[in-house]
Amino acid sequence: MTGDAFTAWKRREELAEAMIPIIGQLYRQHDVTILVHSRSLVNKSAVGILKAHRFVRQIEKEELKIEDSYPILKTISELDLTPSRIDIGYLAIAYKHDNRGLSVEDFTREAVKGAIANGDEDRNPPRDVVLYGFGRIGRLLARLLIEKTGSGNGLRLRAVVVRRGGDNDLMKRASLLRRDSVHGLFNGTIHVDLENETIIANGNPIKIIYSGDPTSIDYTEYGINNAVLIDNTGKWRDREGLSQHLRPGIDKVVLTAPGKGDVKNIVHGVNHETLSADDNILSCASCTTNAIVPVLKAVNDKYGVEYCHVETVHSFTNDQNLLDNYHKGDRRGRSAPLNMVLTETGAASAVAKALPELTGRVTGSSIRVPTPDVSMAMLNLTLDGETNRDDLVDHLRTVSLKSPMQRQIDFIASTETVSTDFVGSRAACVVDAEATIVQGNHAVVYLWYDNEFGYSCQVVRVVQHITGVLYPHFPQV
């Protein structure tokens, strides 16, 4: 029996290894990203591909066999495709339940026919991106933008603006991009061109611009034009302050913090369609807002939300002190690695900007805890009507699989998961199905979220949307 299991593993491993060059070629030559239930397989190892297949049992209640997905991938590789995102996991499950008697080849061609080139495609040119600031979120954005360069079309990270920290600044910036205590090593190679003050990551030259004054920079001097600037410093949050970035070469400004005043707070998957071509300054709200708003929308759409209190258990951040010291905020002066710190959160009030129908119905508070990354939001809900646990869990599972919010809401049904299991999660949040509580019209829903990486993925999705390089998804929801 043990020998049979090992033989089966080796067979699956061989198929996964055969997938790697196909996935890479589709990505680099056609800008086609292959997924398994919303998890990208680009640059994954054979074991990583098998783990993505194995994870499907958490949400589909059945195994996804690589023997079923491989023929679909082979068929896709033989098609002339336009830039797109194709989920072979969904296709394999759908084919398994299709009763029309189609061959794998015919079924796959029909399912992805919208991605097949017909000669009339008008592709958007590559779009330049500038990062203003290079802290926790800035470096993760850099990793994501470099990862998504693909064939060179789409988004291109051209420059990073920082204050010079010292004579060895460039080498230290490159080192922080290369190594991360939470998210691990950079997936690729990094070289430093000291003469030109440039970091070259996976062949992408990234100019480091040293400046403390956004109004002093002319980006066209660096060959940057029509760019999106992502301000991840949080120094300016209103339109007047952020407008300083609208310099020669910069077309739009995106803030990675809650915007103030009339700055739109955007949660991708919920209200990104409200943006118009004229919106040149916008905010991606906060990590917690991105985590809770998609689920609040999903619950409100079906059951109605009379009231919700959001309690977040949030990892500590750079805003807090390592040891007790003065801090302008209440309680935040106490040592972050040693204490749970009760503090306020603006996420509840920010909900109204993304979901106006819930204005005045959401309150919130937060506890900072001694972990470096991954947080939890507990939604204590009073619904308009009664339901039961199975119905609510099944609804959230369906939304995570078959709705326009499938990239925002992930789903897990395990009683053994803990916070570190969600480091690197690309979803805005992950519903912990086994922790859900429902009694009459009261419900408590627990959401995990990587407050660094998951949020950064949401920011990139917004940038892809406003630049027109968020490629269509197949099969279409």
Side-chain angles (χ1 to χ4, degrees):
M1 193 69 170
T2 303
D4 291 342
F6 184 69
T7 300
W9 165 261
K10 299 299 287 184
R11 184 179 67 251
R12 293 195 298 272
E13 189 177 39
E14 184 179 6
L15 284 175
E17 289 169 349
M19 281 184 164
I20 293 172
I22 299 173
I23 293 166
Q25 186 176 42
L26 285 167
Y27 186 61
R28 279 177 281 279
Q29 294 187 6
H30 300 282
D31 267 358
V32 172
T33 300
I34 298 299
L35 314 159
V36 164
H37 278 57
S38 298
R39 287 164 172 78
S40 172
L41 299 186
V42 175
N43 291 327
K44 290 291 189 294
S45 65
V47 171
I49 291 172
L50 290 172
K51 287 178 70 175
H53 280 70
R54 177 69 173 163
F55 185 80
V56 172
R57 78 190 192 283
Q58 294 279 358
I59 46 183
E60 284 284 8
K61 300 180 181 178
E62 61 180 300
E63 295 284 343
L64 172 61
K65 297 179 179 178
I66 197 167
E67 294 89 344
D68 295 332
S69 63
Y70 181 77
I72 290 174
L73 179 64
K74 280 289 290 181
T75 300
I76 290 169
S77 71
E78 295 164 1
L79 303 174
D80 183 15
L81 300 171
T82 58
S84 52
R85 305 172 67 251
I86 300 178
D87 199 311
I88 60 174
Y90 286 128
L91 289 174
I93 296 292
Y95 179 67
K96 186 176 180 180
H97 295 283
D98 189 83
N99 57 10
R100 292 176 294 166
L102 297 176
S103 66
V104 172
E105 293 78 12
D106 288 342
F107 174 86
T108 302
R109 287 191 184 94
E110 178 184 271
V112 302
K113 63 183 179 181
I116 298 174
N118 57 25
D120 297 329
E121 292 79 22
D122 183 19
R123 296 184 62 176
N124 290 322
R127 194 70 173 269
D128 292 347
V129 178
V130 173
L131 296 177
Y132 196 92
F134 208 45
R136 298 298 302 154
I137 299 302
R139 292 193 298 274
L140 289 178
L141 289 173
R143 287 188 174 201
L144 284 165
L145 290 166
I146 294 163
E147 170 194 301
K148 294 178 181 297
T149 302
S151 66
N153 297 294
L155 301 176
R156 297 186 305 183
L157 176 57
R158 297 293 308 281
V160 175
V161 182
V162 292
R163 292 176 180 267
R164 189 182 295 275
D167 294 337
N168 206 26
D169 184 275
L170 192 62
M171 296 299 294
K172 288 184 177 293
R173 303 279 184 187
S175 180
L176 285 168
L177 179 61
R178 184 181 289 117
R179 306 173 182 89
D180 191 280
S181 300
V182 174
H183 301 283
L185 295 173
F186 174 78
N187 190 18
T189 62
I190 292 176
H191 302 279
V192 177
D193 181 347
L194 288 171
E195 182 179 352
N196 294 300
E197 295 187 324
T198 298
I199 295 173
I200 302 171
N202 290 357
N204 297 271
I206 306 164
K207 175 67 177 178
I208 304 301
I209 302 172
Y210 290 104
S211 175
D213 178 9
T215 64
S216 67
I217 308 171
D218 183 341
Y219 292 93
T220 60
E221 293 180 356
Y222 304 97
I224 297 170
N225 292 282
N226 196 33
V228 176
L229 183 144
I230 306 175
D231 184 331
N232 54 88
T233 68
K235 185 175 181 179
W236 305 281
R237 295 191 180 189
D238 59 11
R239 185 172 299 276
E240 181 181 2
L242 293 169
S243 294
Q244 298 176 87
H245 292 305
L246 292 173
R247 300 287 298 157
I250 302 299
D251 182 57
K252 293 181 183 293
V253 178
V254 175
L255 171 66
T256 63
K260 295 182 178 180
D262 65 344
V263 175
K264 289 184 178 180
N265 281 246
I266 301 300
V267 175
H268 191 272
V270 176
N271 67 336
H272 65 277
E273 296 290 353
T274 63
L275 291 170
S276 68
D278 296 332
D279 286 316
N280 60 357
I281 294 177
L282 61 119
S283 158
C284 289
S286 69
C287 57
T288 300
T289 304
N290 275 264
I292 66 177
V293 163
V295 172
L296 278 173
K297 175 174 171 53
V299 173
N300 188 57
D301 284 350
K302 181 171 182 179
Y303 304 101
V305 173
E306 180 181 319
Y307 172 73
C308 175
H309 178 75
V310 182
E311 188 76 45
T312 64
V313 179
H314 198 293
S315 294
F316 62 74
T317 66
N318 274 332
D319 173 68
Q320 295 171 256
N321 293 330
L322 284 174
L323 296 171
D324 289 4
N325 207 347
Y326 174 80
H327 192 293
K328 65 179 180 180
D330 295 339
R331 309 184 203 240
R332 291 198 185 193
R334 303 299 297 277
S335 172
L338 297 177
N339 293 291
M340 292 188 293
V341 179
L342 185 64
T343 185
E344 73 284 346
T345 175
S349 59
V351 168
K353 284 196 170 186
L355 284 177
E357 59 267 36
L358 293 185
T359 299
R361 302 187 201 176
V362 182
T363 57
S365 55
S366 180
I367 304 170
R368 297 289 179 93
V369 295
T371 56
D373 187 32
V374 180
S375 301
M376 170 179 277
M378 294 167 282
L379 307 184
N380 195 326
L381 297 149
T382 301
L383 308 176
D384 286 346
E386 294 190 358
T387 186
N388 58 67
R389 181 184 178 279
D390 288 346
D391 188 74
L392 178 58
V393 167
D394 189 61
H395 172 60
L396 293 175
R397 173 180 168 274
T398 300
V399 171
S400 76
L401 288 171
K402 302 172 182 177
S403 84
M405 292 192 295
Q406 62 181 226
R407 299 179 75 190
Q408 283 68 50
I409 302 175
D410 205 349
F411 184 94
I412 192 164
S414 170
T415 57
E416 298 298 330
T417 52
V418 294
S419 61
T420 55
D421 296 329
F422 301 97
V423 173
S425 170
R426 293 175 181 247
C429 69
V430 184
V431 174
D432 192 320
E434 294 301 311
T436 304
I437 301 169
V438 179
Q439 186 173 14
N441 69 329
H442 296 284
V444 182
V445 179
Y446 291 80
L447 309 175
W448 298 99
Y449 60 107
D450 185 327
N451 48 278
E452 293 185 336
F453 196 73
Y455 176 68
S456 297
C457 289
Q458 281 287 89
V459 174
V460 170
R461 288 168 192 143
V462 170
V463 175
Q464 288 176 318
H465 173 72
I466 63 178
T467 56
V469 296
L470 186 59
Y471 301 140
H473 183 281
F474 297 93
Q476 293 182 336
V477 178

